[in-house]
Amino acid sequence: FHTIKFAHSLLLRSDIPVSTIFNSILSPTFSMISQNFDDFKEFRLPFYSLITVVINHHFDFLMEMKMNDLDDFIHILMYGTSHPMSSISQLSLKLLSSFVKNIKDTPRFEEVFTQYCVEIVKLAFSILSDLFLKSDFEEIAALIKSIFSYQEEIPKFVPEIVEGLVSILPMVNPSDLVELVKSLIDCGSYLEGMRILLKDFTIQLGQFISANKEMAGTADSESISILIR
């Protein structure tokens, strides 16, 4: 715990290579805390705070990673989005949004965006489809906006995005998903329009799920209302 805090200070103030801290602290710590959501709880928030420093102050280091290593880093963030502690799930969503925004002016933009665009959209909608999710609607909307703000690039991925959404939302008519994706593209970086679309979709999704008792469990309309407040 204290080592993570010390590493946080080093990343902010010293010339120690980020790779040294990443390899000696970040990777082993994630291996330790990713076994389950219950053990080593005191490490989790400091760990993701350390990740925040890497994204906000050492993004060049991430862009120098081999794709396999970068893939591990992205999945650290994705793992955090499903954490039962809302402080961690919300922070992880914000970090994913920051990552997507920060790749824009890097030499590897096309490579990295192509690699993760569809996967991140699927993740965001998977979270939206969970009526008991701990994350905040605003963080999810911001993450989706960060992807769909890339107006020149995103249309190329529409077929893959729709295919991915169909796989995780089989209760929704595929044509409705096509229209949703097109509408999100039309919104671009207009967050309020995107929020309205996603709120409407979430309410409709709750109705679909509630109509199917096996999928609904104990979910009800109150869960939806809490989600989109």
Side-chain angles (χ1 to χ4, degrees):
F1 175 75
H2 293 294
T3 302
I4 294 177
K5 284 195 168 184
F6 181 62
H8 185 285
S9 300
L10 286 177
L11 282 175
L12 287 174
R13 302 177 187 175
S14 102
D15 294 328
I16 293 178
V18 183
S19 58
T20 301
I21 295 174
F22 187 88
N23 294 328
S24 62
I25 297 176
L26 281 174
S27 294
T29 302
F30 180 68
S31 297
M32 181 178 68
I33 67 174
S34 62
Q35 301 302 312
N36 57 64
F37 287 130
D38 298 317
D39 297 332
F40 309 109
K41 290 183 178 179
E42 69 276 12
F43 285 88
R44 296 174 187 270
L45 196 53
F47 173 78
Y48 280 93
S49 296
L50 187 58
I51 293 289
T52 302
V53 178
V54 174
I55 289 178
N56 291 342
H57 298 278
H58 299 281
F59 200 76
D60 288 347
F61 165 72
L62 296 178
M63 291 297 97
E64 292 169 0
M65 282 182 166
K66 295 179 180 178
M67 187 54 78
N68 287 343
D69 295 330
L70 185 59
D71 197 57
D72 290 340
F73 183 84
I74 293 297
H75 284 96
I76 288 175
L77 302 182
M78 292 183 169
Y79 171 83
T81 64
S82 61
H83 202 283
M85 290 175 58
S86 59
S87 56
I88 293 177
S89 61
Q90 290 174 15
L91 177 58
S92 297
L93 284 166
K94 289 178 181 177
L95 291 175
L96 271 174
S97 294
S98 295
F99 179 89
V100 173
K101 293 174 186 174
N102 288 352
I103 63 174
K104 175 60 178 175
D105 296 318
T106 68
R108 295 181 66 184
F109 168 72
E110 185 174 351
E111 174 194 14
V112 175
F113 189 79
T114 299
Q115 180 75 14
Y116 297 112
C117 166
V118 176
E119 189 173 5
I120 291 175
V121 173
K122 282 181 62 177
L123 171 72
F125 276 91
S126 293
I127 299 171
L128 273 182
S129 69
D130 180 0
L131 303 188
F132 301 103
L133 85 172
K134 300 295 184 181
S135 300
D136 188 84
F137 176 83
E138 296 300 328
E139 273 76 39
I140 303 170
L143 177 57
I144 294 174
K145 171 183 171 293
S146 70
I147 290 285
F148 282 86
S149 293
Y150 291 117
Q151 292 284 280
E152 293 184 10
E153 293 80 13
I154 196 68
K156 296 182 291 187
F157 298 94
V158 168
E160 292 177 70
I161 289 173
V162 171
E163 182 180 353
L165 294 184
V166 168
S167 70
I168 62 172
L169 301 169
M171 74 293 291
V172 182
N173 190 312
S175 62
D176 291 338
L177 292 173
V178 171
E179 290 305 312
L180 174 64
V181 171
K182 289 181 178 178
S183 296
L184 290 171
I185 292 175
D186 289 340
C187 283
S189 58
Y190 178 44
L191 180 59
E192 185 55 33
M194 197 164 288
R195 288 176 73 255
I196 293 171
L197 281 172
L198 294 173
K199 281 186 177 182
D200 289 346
F201 174 76
T202 304
I203 292 171
Q204 293 171 8
L205 184 61
Q207 293 170 348
F208 288 139
I209 294 177
S210 295
N212 186 327
K213 298 301 182 182
E214 292 183 1
M215 296 181 67
T218 58
D220 55 26
S221 59
E222 183 179 353
S223 301
I224 295 293
S225 298
I226 293 172
L227 168 66
I228 63 175
R229 280 175 191 162

